[in-house]
Amino acid sequence: MNIALLLLAIPICVADLNALVIPNIYTKILFNLAVLHFSLFGFGQFQEALISVAVVMCLALLGTGMGDIKLLALILMTHTYPAIEFIGVILLFAAVHIVVLIGVHRKIPAKIPLAPSIFIGLATYLATR
């Protein structure tokens, strides 16, 4: 699953950076791979899955884009690491992204593409585990 995520990271990040939208075709591909992952390896611990669902629902209530929510849900459901730690890493990279955008454009952005932060956070979290 990690290889598929990292291979699809480039087109997803390019699409999100250009249009602030993650196309559904990429999330459909990842969903099909997640179903295959679940059929081979099982669902995992119920407590971690419940925490992941709660985190994704809180992010949805805070106004995060649906493409980002779908991407995070697929990543959190197919991996066994703690959701709170992973979301913390993503938020750290999103904050750095906001600071860089403020430095470049000299104004606070109203919306940012979150996919690059998600994939950089995923790669960093996987590298440090």
Side-chain angles (χ1 to χ4, degrees):
M1 188 68 190
N2 291 335
I3 294 171
L5 282 168
L6 295 177
L7 285 177
L8 286 174
I10 293 172
I12 290 173
C13 288
V14 168
D16 198 23
L17 286 168
N18 286 334
L20 295 175
V21 174
I22 298 174
N24 283 334
I25 187 68
Y26 298 124
T27 53
K28 287 179 184 178
I29 292 169
L30 288 175
F31 177 76
N32 291 333
L33 292 172
V35 168
L36 179 66
H37 182 268
F38 289 140
S39 65
L40 293 176
F41 300 109
F43 194 66
Q45 293 183 355
F46 181 72
Q47 182 180 6
E48 289 297 324
L50 192 62
I51 292 171
S52 297
V53 168
V55 166
V56 168
M57 291 189 74
C58 287
L59 287 173
L61 291 174
L62 290 174
T64 306
M66 284 311 295
D68 299 321
I69 294 292
K70 290 185 262 186
L71 186 62
L72 280 172
L74 288 170
I75 291 172
L76 289 173
M77 291 298 164
T78 56
H79 291 79
T80 58
Y81 43 79
I84 302 298
E85 291 177 16
F86 180 59
I87 295 297
V89 171
I90 290 173
L91 291 177
L92 175 71
F93 281 108
V96 169
H97 190 191
I98 290 170
V99 169
V100 168
L101 287 177
I102 290 171
V104 170
H105 298 293
R106 303 284 185 210
K107 63 179 183 176
I108 299 174
K111 297 173 86 176
I112 66 162
L114 195 58
S117 300
I118 292 171
F119 285 115
I120 292 171
L122 175 67
T124 303
Y125 197 81
L126 290 175
T128 57
R129 284 195 64 205

